[in-house]
Amino acid sequence: MSELLPIANARDTWGWLRSELGRRRGRSVFTLLVAAVAAGMALIPVYVFGVLVDRVQDGAPPSTIGWVVAVIASAAVVGGVCAGFASYLIRSLGEGILADLRERTVDRALRLPIQTVERVGKGDLLSRVGDDVAVIGKAVTDVVPNLVTAVLLVVLSMVTMLGIDWRLGLAGMVALPMYALAMRWYLPRSAPVYAAERVAMGERSQALISSMQGARTVRAYGLEDSHLDQINGASEKARDLSVGVFALFTRFAGRGNRAEFVGLATILAAGFALVNADIVTVGQTTTAALLFHRLFNPIGMLMYTFDEVQSAGASLARLVGVVDLDEESSGGTATGETTDATLELDGVRHTYDGRHEVVHGISLHVKSGERVALVGSTGAGKTTVAAIAAGSIVPTAGSVRIGGTALADLEPGGLRRRVAIVSQEVHVFAGPLIDDLRLAAPDASEEDAAMALKAVGADGWVTALDDGVQTVVGEGGHELTAAQAQQLALARLVLANPAVAILDEATAEAGSAGARELEASAEAATRGRTTLVVAHRLTQAAAADRVVVLEHGRIVEEGPHTTLVAAGGRYAELWSAWEGR
């Protein structure tokens, strides 16, 4: 089973939320004040009704009802306006924080090292930026505004009851320990289940994605039933957790109802005794009872939406876990540019599982502007070395430097300005072709794009498209051949204009027919750059300034093509076998 990305603990999650609200302190305080006014206006009709009861008992004239109606109407208008405005402010504030969190999470996800993505799988990532964001978004829109209003109503109602008479206030507070006990019973039991439910949803997404991505292999080997069993098992686990937490919630709701009954009964009994003792009036007791009864909805809102709050909290912790990963494992701060494009690997070692090394102490010096080819049999470690040189993989030991600056000391933006990698696995993004090219250089003009396409020999087929560079390509659009997709990737490389280029079998998908043309495109795209080529075809090695031969994660030979062929070593064997083909 895939590992998971880190999940923030409760302390870190709330710490992050407090810091975000602190960054928006003025807006947060204003939102709270508007919500407090709205809550206060909701209490005025109850208080006025209690005053009316006392006035009627004292024989007030019927005209008294006029000012009561006026006060209630005014409170309703002001309260309605403030409630609507407060709801808007809360949603706006929450959506702004969520948008920032979503962007930071996606940004970090896109910058994760390749080995991390492979280890955790795509399902966990997608469930975080998909399901978890949706859960929090629903809470921000539907739950949080009501939650804030409910908290303010409870606080202001208790303060008002204490203001009427402290004994009535204490009578109302009898229910609070019962609510607290209900929460204390519910939260420790439900929180782990909600967290497990979010994890189960990630596992379900991973099972679905892996089966869909490998659909051809699944069908070829008749593995449909086993994969369906895996998907069903993951879905059943998520379902069972959802049902289990709902069973907890129903018991929690029953405890809340008992607290409401005890609280209201206590207020009525205490009020009866206090009225008989002429300590409070009937109107004051009526106000206290109505205030407590009015709390049924907000307290119920606080308690009964805790399942959604818990779920949103679990989702928030998963997103903050990714953001914290960014803060803990981001690169250094060196941003200064240099004209020196020398690539140096010094004592590089790497292991994927922590036990077995696939690269053993490789040291390699590629001079500025030099073209070096990596060759070797399958499993020799060529792709790993290329990924380490490009900064896609952080080596277990050793260092990589460009122009004397360690890649570990570069910010992601500075790293990609200096080095770029093109592999055989090229993705064509859905949308206009020009937008696909601008991924490498967002400010590139159509003229820049045309020059890049021409440099790699792609201008002919692009011009022949119905809408040229505006043609929609990728999923749902014009389907590009493997060779065209590779040329598109090489054109991105030209636009990005890095000092160092890494080609990891970038011509492997072209097939024999288009290999020479694509090799010419790769040569043109990397001309003048320091280039490290993982040579799928040994004709690329023959054209390089120097050839480095890897076997079992070690350098066994290096030198110019003609020298190595004449030496009769491992490279000569590979070249002989290649010519024999």
Side-chain angles (χ1 to χ4, degrees):
M1 183 174 62
S2 299
E3 298 178 28
L4 295 175
L5 289 167
I7 300 174
N9 57 37
R11 179 180 178 181
D12 291 340
T13 302
W14 287 111
W16 176 88
L17 185 58
R18 284 194 300 271
S19 69
E20 290 298 310
L21 291 172
R23 289 171 52 195
R24 303 164 173 84
R25 182 176 288 104
R27 189 170 184 180
S28 299
V29 171
F30 179 67
T31 300
L32 193 61
L33 287 175
V34 174
V37 172
M41 292 298 106
L43 301 181
I44 287 179
V46 176
Y47 186 83
V48 170
F49 186 77
V51 173
L52 179 63
V53 169
D54 287 337
R55 292 291 180 87
V56 170
Q57 275 196 319
D58 294 338
S63 59
T64 304
I65 195 68
W67 72 263
V68 171
V69 171
V71 170
I72 292 176
S74 300
V77 171
V78 175
V81 172
C82 289
F85 189 39
S87 180
Y88 164 78
L89 290 173
I90 294 170
R91 287 184 173 91
S92 177
L93 180 63
E95 289 288 357
I97 294 174
L98 178 59
D100 183 56
L101 176 61
R102 178 171 56 240
E103 290 172 4
R104 291 168 62 185
T105 303
V106 172
D107 178 75
R108 179 53 186 151
L110 292 173
R111 299 179 188 275
L112 284 174
I114 292 174
Q115 69 268 32
T116 302
V117 177
E118 292 175 347
R119 187 178 71 249
V120 304
K122 298 182 180 68
D124 186 42
L125 269 176
L126 290 177
S127 68
R128 296 192 190 213
V129 299
D131 291 344
D132 290 324
V133 168
V135 168
I136 300 173
K138 184 177 184 299
V140 167
T141 302
D142 300 335
V143 178
V144 175
N146 294 330
L147 204 62
V148 172
T149 301
V151 169
L152 290 172
L153 273 173
V154 170
V155 172
L156 291 178
S157 295
M158 287 299 176
V159 170
T160 303
M161 289 169 63
L162 287 170
I164 292 172
D165 187 89
W166 62 270
R167 285 154 290 209
L168 289 175
L170 291 179
M173 290 182 181
V174 167
L176 294 182
M178 298 184 66
Y179 285 124
L181 288 173
M183 298 289 283
R184 185 177 179 182
W185 176 87
Y186 176 67
L187 293 181
R189 290 169 173 79
S190 62
V193 182
Y194 279 112
E197 183 185 18
R198 302 311 308 166
V199 172
M201 289 182 176
E203 293 174 351
R204 180 179 61 188
S205 298
Q206 178 63 32
L208 284 168
I209 291 168
S210 61
S211 296
M212 293 300 294
Q213 288 182 331
R216 293 184 180 180
T217 303
V218 170
R219 292 179 182 176
Y221 290 95
L223 300 175
E224 293 91 343
D225 290 339
S226 64
H227 275 256
L228 284 173
D229 289 342
Q230 183 182 2
I231 293 171
N232 288 336
S235 299
E236 288 172 1
K237 182 179 179 181
R239 179 204 63 197
D240 292 344
L241 287 168
S242 297
V243 172
V245 79
F246 183 75
L248 287 173
F249 176 72
T250 55
R251 296 172 64 185
F252 172 59
R255 293 167 185 251
N257 290 336
R258 286 195 293 272
E260 292 173 354
F261 170 77
V262 171
L264 185 58
T266 303
I267 287 178
L268 292 175
F272 181 80
L274 292 171
V275 169
N276 278 342
D278 287 332
I279 297 175
V280 299
T281 65
V282 174
Q284 289 174 322
T285 302
T286 301
T287 299
L290 289 177
L291 283 173
F292 187 82
H293 187 273
R294 182 72 179 270
L295 290 181
F296 285 5
N297 284 336
I299 291 178
M301 174 69 67
L302 289 173
M303 298 182 68
Y304 303 152
T305 59
F306 244 87
D307 57 338
E308 295 180 71
V309 174
Q310 290 277 87
S311 185
S315 294
L316 182 62
R318 284 161 56 80
L319 292 176
V320 173
V322 179
V323 173
D324 283 348
L325 180 66
D326 182 29
E327 294 172 353
E328 293 170 3
S329 61
S330 60
T333 57
T335 59
E337 300 296 334
T338 175
T339 57
D340 186 0
T342 301
L343 174 64
E344 297 174 278
L345 281 71
D346 184 16
V348 168
R349 296 179 178 273
H350 190 67
T351 173
Y352 286 102
D353 59 8
R355 298 188 301 274
H356 305 97
E357 277 192 351
V358 295
V359 175
H360 310 282
I362 285 182
S363 295
L364 179 63
H365 182 92
V366 184
K367 293 183 293 185
S368 183
E370 186 181 16
R371 186 182 187 87
V372 172
L374 290 178
V375 301
S377 55
T378 301
K382 304 184 299 296
T383 293
T384 300
V385 171
I388 290 173
S392 300
I393 292 178
V394 178
T396 306
S399 63
V400 182
R401 296 184 294 275
I402 295 179
T405 302
L407 297 192
D409 294 333
L410 293 172
E411 293 180 343
L415 173 64
R416 288 300 158 227
R417 284 194 296 272
R418 297 195 188 192
V419 58
I421 184 170
V422 178
S423 71
Q424 67 184 51
E425 298 177 358
V426 176
H427 182 71
V428 178
F429 293 87
L433 188 146
I434 183 68
D435 290 347
D436 205 308
L437 287 169
R438 283 173 175 156
L439 290 171
D443 297 329
S445 64
E446 287 198 18
E447 291 74 15
D448 295 330
M451 290 177 62
L453 290 168
K454 185 176 182 180
V456 299
D459 54 326
W461 63 263
V462 171
T463 303
L465 296 175
D466 291 340
D467 297 315
V469 293
Q470 296 298 334
T471 301
V472 175
V473 296
E475 185 176 353
H478 179 82
E479 185 175 352
L480 301 183
T481 66
Q484 289 173 339
Q486 286 287 0
Q487 283 186 319
L488 188 60
L490 291 169
R492 288 194 205 119
L493 178 66
V494 173
L495 283 174
N497 195 29
V500 178
I502 311 292
L503 302 184
D504 182 9
E505 298 189 353
T507 64
E509 297 296 321
S512 299
R516 290 188 180 278
E517 181 181 353
L518 198 53
E519 286 176 14
S521 298
E523 195 282 328
T526 58
R527 189 175 297 124
R529 309 181 200 282
T530 303
T531 307
L532 188 64
V533 181
V534 176
H536 172 72
R537 306 171 67 83
L538 289 190
T539 50
Q540 293 174 288
D545 299 318
R546 182 157 49 104
V547 179
V548 175
V549 184
L550 297 181
E551 285 298 333
H552 305 297
R554 291 182 172 87
I555 296 177
V556 295
E557 282 184 307
E558 63 177 304
H561 165 76
T562 54
T563 302
L564 294 182
V565 171
R570 179 56 180 156
Y571 181 74
E573 293 175 5
L574 293 172
W575 181 254
S576 177
W578 174 261
E579 284 191 314
R581 293 172 55 188

